[in-house]
Amino acid sequence: MPTTRLYQQFERLAAQLPERSRQMTLTQVADLLCCTPRNARVLLGRMQEQGWLSWQASAGRGRRATLTLHDIPQAFRQQQLLQLIRQGKLEQAMQWVEGRAERLIPWLQVGTGMTAEGRQILRVPYYRPLPHLLPGPALRRSEIHLVRQIFSGLVRRNEENGEVEPDLAHHWEALTPRHWRFYLRPVVRFHHGRLLTAEDVVASLEALRCEPLFDHLQHCEVINPRTVDLHLGDADAWLPQLLCEPQAVILPHEWPGLAGFSLNPIGCGPYRVVTNDARRLRLQAFDDYFGLRALLDEIDIWMMPELAERLTYQLTVGQDRPELGQMRAESELESGCYFLLADGRSPALRDPVLRRWLAYRLNGAELLGRVDRQMQQMLTPARGLLPHWRDGGELAVPPMPEALPGRLVIACFNQHLEFEELARAMVTCLGQFDIALELRELDYAEWASGQAEDVDLWLGTVNMEHERDFAAYAWLQGIPLLHRIWSAEPWLWRGLTDWRSLSDEEHSPRRLLLRLQNEGWFMPLFHHWLSMESRVGVHGVRMTALGWFDFQRAWIKPEV
């Protein structure tokens, strides 16, 4: 089979010869190929063997020969492109499709399937790199999904019914409302080969005590090699749900000393990271996983920033081949929303009248009519954090503030083209009242930290893994941004603590968020329609609340 390098040499030669046939000397060909005449002769011979050209030399030194270029069969181009994809050479593959990602995606999916050795590989296009896979409070929805595939926690949440199930702990019990005991599975291995110990569990959970979501965790102790006790400062009937959060997965205790852990983390989940760079994230099934070994041997996620230039992005799984059946599409409203947050540190937004006026002027229905039609199809106006939370009702016309600010700063996180479109719509809305709106794009971690103190409004989006009240509680307590911008609202944080420890419905997250909404601190804008397409040839694919699918359950039906 000819090499890609040989074909690239042919492409270089053809690009410089507009005529299909031409009289040339060997020296002239060498100049075009940037090589010696001797190498040019060898290359011409190889290209002629492939049928790409004809080289009819004439007798005598320095005599001209006839070079005729032939049409390259489309099958060869396709074969070479597929070979590049299977070798993981994205840069070269992008050159073959002239940098147009949409032309590469079908071939990326053709590269999905079973290898000659019987390994099942699923290749998935994605629009941005994923360099931050360290479990923590500031994770985007795709990172949360991947953390679930790479790591395991003491317990896990069933995606279909929301119930808590065993994971690293096979059983647990509450000895008292403030004292819980967890019994660990034996012979669990991390991806780097070391056995999981009770000390790993204690070190992972103790490190969480500085986070507001886990600040009631007083200490953890090893009772014996397979038993760990958790002691709480307050009663918490929701503790098993809390331990399902992505921050609570178990890491090897030596992880701070492992170089590049955020990029190439080590867990004990069903998949391990093999490659992670700006162009490719490759996961392989972990053969020593303590649960059922994954059916797909490899998940190959290709990063195509070109896809980020689209207002809409849809996850596509499998090959676009009619013999595999019709494409199966799934679509559902996210458990979450796009939102605006008013920053309590902003002098202008301490005025409750201005906050309510902004919530009315920048409501979802108003903005939806000002954005691109393609974007309109993927959004629906929101009245609360979750689709079924409609307590906010219709927005009443608020009184006009005594004075309007001449300028407001709104911050969003980057790599999210929809935010730019929404910001433009907001600029138009507020421009009618001579308010200049300045958009500031931040890295997601910087946005989630809330450290920027010269911001008035924060534009963001959140996807919950389920729709129980605990999901809203975990979001409110888990994002540092919210603690910073609403630090002057002690009723909120006190109410959340009361709900967690006393199951006080008066302070349920739903009611607390409704109060924030009524006071103009929290402004829900839209719910987003998540969608995914998959071929019948890829089985076990069901879209999760995060817009992905459980890698461990998917498999590819072999062609026989």
Side-chain angles (χ1 to χ4, degrees):
M1 179 179 292
T3 65
T4 303
R5 175 62 178 167
L6 181 64
Y7 182 75
Q8 289 173 342
Q9 293 278 32
F10 173 77
E11 289 276 88
R12 172 187 290 182
L13 184 63
Q16 300 178 84
L17 295 175
E19 306 92 352
R20 303 305 295 175
S21 184
R22 185 174 178 180
Q23 296 288 319
M24 301 183 69
T25 66
L26 189 60
T27 301
Q28 289 174 322
V29 174
D31 290 340
L32 294 178
L33 293 175
C34 301
C35 64
T36 65
R38 180 178 179 180
N39 285 338
R41 186 185 299 278
V42 172
L43 291 172
L44 287 172
R46 291 177 179 173
M47 293 176 190
Q48 189 164 246
E49 288 176 3
Q50 298 301 322
W52 299 348
L53 54 75
S54 297
W55 174 253
Q56 295 179 348
S58 300
R61 185 180 181 88
R63 297 289 298 274
R64 291 177 179 271
T66 303
L67 175 63
T68 304
L69 303 181
H70 301 162
D71 290 332
I72 303 302
Q74 185 66 19
F76 170 76
R77 294 176 182 270
Q78 296 173 354
Q79 184 183 40
Q80 290 297 299
L81 183 57
L82 190 56
Q83 182 178 344
L84 289 173
I85 288 172
R86 287 173 172 163
Q87 292 173 350
K89 297 178 179 180
L90 180 56
E91 296 289 351
Q92 294 94 319
M94 287 294 290
Q95 292 176 8
W96 277 63
V97 294
E98 301 174 348
R100 296 172 60 182
E102 68 276 8
R103 292 175 56 186
L104 185 60
I105 290 175
W107 290 103
L108 189 64
Q109 293 158 3
V110 169
T112 285
M114 184 173 289
T115 67
E117 297 77 22
R119 290 178 57 79
Q120 292 199 356
I121 300 176
L122 184 63
R123 292 183 170 89
V124 181
Y126 195 59
Y127 72 97
R128 63 179 174 86
L130 297 159
H132 305 294
L133 298 179
L134 177 65
L139 291 179
R140 298 173 69 170
R141 66 181 175 95
S142 291
E143 281 80 353
I144 292 174
H145 169 74
L146 291 167
V147 162
R148 299 289 189 211
Q149 308 297 314
I150 299 167
F151 297 93
S152 297
L154 286 176
V155 292
R156 65 186 174 205
R157 188 181 294 111
N158 185 298
E159 293 182 347
E160 296 183 2
N161 58 29
E163 299 296 324
V164 178
E165 298 178 341
D167 203 12
L168 294 176
H170 57 85
H171 286 87
W172 61 91
E173 58 183 328
L175 302 180
T176 74
R178 298 184 182 183
H179 183 188
W180 290 68
R181 178 163 290 172
F182 292 82
Y183 302 95
L184 306 180
R185 297 181 188 275
V187 197
V188 174
R189 292 189 182 276
F190 286 107
H191 297 155
H192 61 347
R194 183 173 67 75
L195 286 173
L196 171 81
T197 67
E199 287 74 16
D200 294 309
V201 175
V202 169
S204 297
L205 297 181
E206 287 278 358
L208 300 175
R209 293 172 52 199
C210 59
E211 297 182 16
L213 191 56
F214 296 86
D215 64 0
H216 62 306
L217 180 59
Q218 286 192 333
H219 70 278
C220 309
E221 62 175 327
V222 176
I223 303 303
N224 60 53
R226 295 188 190 174
T227 308
V228 172
D229 278 12
L230 275 59
H231 298 272
L232 310 177
D234 302 314
D236 184 5
W238 294 96
L239 183 66
Q241 288 282 352
L242 176 64
L243 294 177
C244 292
E245 291 302 300
Q247 303 97 298
V249 296
I250 305 305
L251 286 65
H253 67 264
E254 70 272 19
W255 78 263
L258 300 176
F261 191 85
S262 180
L263 190 67
N264 295 287
I266 294 170
C268 49
Y271 281 92
R272 64 186 184 93
V273 177
V274 177
T275 303
N276 189 14
D277 54 39
R279 278 299 194 180
R280 192 182 185 197
L281 170 61
R282 192 157 63 100
L283 306 175
Q284 282 187 355
F286 183 40
D287 290 338
D288 289 333
Y289 177 56
F290 61 88
L292 293 175
R293 199 267 195 191
L295 301 176
L296 287 174
D297 298 287
E298 187 173 315
I299 308 292
D300 201 2
I301 302 175
W302 283 38
M303 314 307 174
M304 299 182 178
E306 299 80 8
L307 297 177
E309 299 174 5
R310 303 178 180 182
L311 275 176
T312 60
Y313 172 74
Q314 177 176 270
L315 188 66
T316 304
V317 180
Q319 303 179 32
D320 187 14
R321 291 169 56 188
E323 65 268 24
L324 294 181
Q326 295 296 315
M327 185 71 80
R328 182 176 59 248
E330 296 182 65
S331 183
E332 63 180 46
L333 278 179
E334 65 181 345
S335 297
C337 68
Y338 285 77
F339 54 78
L340 275 176
L341 309 173
D343 195 323
R345 299 168 296 183
S346 165
L349 295 186
R350 291 177 190 147
D351 179 6
V353 178
L354 176 61
R355 293 198 305 270
R356 295 190 186 101
W357 182 85
L358 286 171
Y360 177 76
R361 291 296 171 187
L362 301 178
N363 71 82
E366 175 69 23
L367 295 176
L368 196 60
R370 299 176 181 270
V371 299
D372 183 271
R373 185 180 299 274
Q374 187 180 21
M375 189 171 173
Q376 291 176 0
Q377 297 174 352
M378 56 184 267
L379 300 175
T380 186
R383 295 186 183 178
L385 177 68
L386 299 174
H388 67 281
W389 287 11
R390 307 181 66 83
D391 312 80
E394 297 291 344
L395 289 171
V397 181
M400 191 73 176
E402 292 184 6
L404 293 175
R407 171 179 170 271
L408 291 173
V409 176
I410 182 172
C412 66
F413 45 91
N414 55 16
Q415 296 177 319
H416 223 293
L417 195 61
E418 300 99 306
F419 288 155
E420 296 180 23
E421 183 75 6
L422 288 174
R424 281 193 289 268
M426 293 177 191
V427 166
T428 303
C429 288
L430 297 184
Q432 303 173 79
F433 301 92
D434 297 324
I435 300 175
L437 188 65
E438 176 188 329
L439 176 65
R440 187 173 301 170
E441 290 187 287
L442 307 174
D443 177 81
Y444 180 76
E446 184 181 2
W447 179 91
S449 73
Q451 292 180 348
E453 297 185 0
D454 57 343
V455 173
D456 303 292
L457 296 166
W458 298 80
L459 174 61
T461 180
V462 61
N463 292 85
M464 309 291 183
E465 294 184 90
H466 57 100
E467 293 193 346
R468 297 189 177 189
D469 276 2
F470 185 83
Y473 165 80
W475 177 66
L476 286 166
Q477 288 280 36
I479 305 297
L481 166 67
L482 306 184
H483 285 267
R484 282 197 162 93
I485 66 174
W486 295 334
S487 60
E489 307 300 318
W491 59 268
L492 169 63
W493 312 112
R494 187 168 54 247
L496 288 172
T497 300
D498 290 343
W499 176 80
R500 182 196 67 206
S501 57
L502 305 174
S503 296
D504 180 7
E505 281 304 309
E506 183 63 28
H507 297 102
S508 70
R510 183 171 182 171
R511 293 193 180 186
L512 293 173
L513 270 167
L514 180 60
R515 179 174 170 182
L516 288 170
Q517 192 172 332
N518 290 337
E519 294 183 5
W521 292 114
F522 172 64
M523 310 173 206
L525 300 177
F526 311 101
H527 300 298
H528 178 248
W529 283 98
L530 300 174
S531 59
M532 182 177 70
E533 287 188 346
S534 61
R535 275 283 172 191
V536 176
V538 181
H539 295 260
V541 172
R542 187 186 64 82
M543 188 172 67
T544 67
L546 295 176
W548 281 83
F549 61 97
D550 187 353
F551 296 162
Q552 193 177 359
R553 297 183 180 183
W555 64 287
I556 300 167
K557 188 175 182 179
E559 297 182 14
V560 295

